[in-house]
Amino acid sequence: SEIGNRVSGIVESFDKHIGLGEITLEDSRPLDFHCTNIADGTRTIELNTKVSAEIYFHPRGRFEAKNIRNI
């Protein structure tokens, strides 16, 4: 299982109004995230930022990123 694995990628999209974004991982897979999972607490992140994150399984039934940190 990938849950808990640390991965890295690039912030591909982020909508600050709804707080949702997408990271494209190094292996080209997309991984959604919510702004509350940005580790520094800012709830915002710039496009094209290189980040690392942990994979977790969201209660809504999909994999998402948490503990997102700039690299």
Side-chain angles (χ1 to χ4, degrees), residues 12-54:
E12 203 66 44
S13 67
F14 181 66
D15 184 328
K16 64 184 175 186
H17 299 292
I18 59 172
L20 297 175
E22 184 179 274
I23 297 166
T24 299
L25 301 180
E26 289 178 333
D27 63 6
S28 300
R29 289 180 298 156
L31 189 61
D32 293 332
F33 70 92
H34 188 267
C35 66
T36 57
N37 289 312
I38 298 170
D40 65 11
T42 62
R43 296 190 178 215
T44 187
I45 196 160
E46 295 296 317
L47 295 182
N48 299 313
T49 301
K50 186 161 175 138
V51 296
S52 69
E54 291 173 37

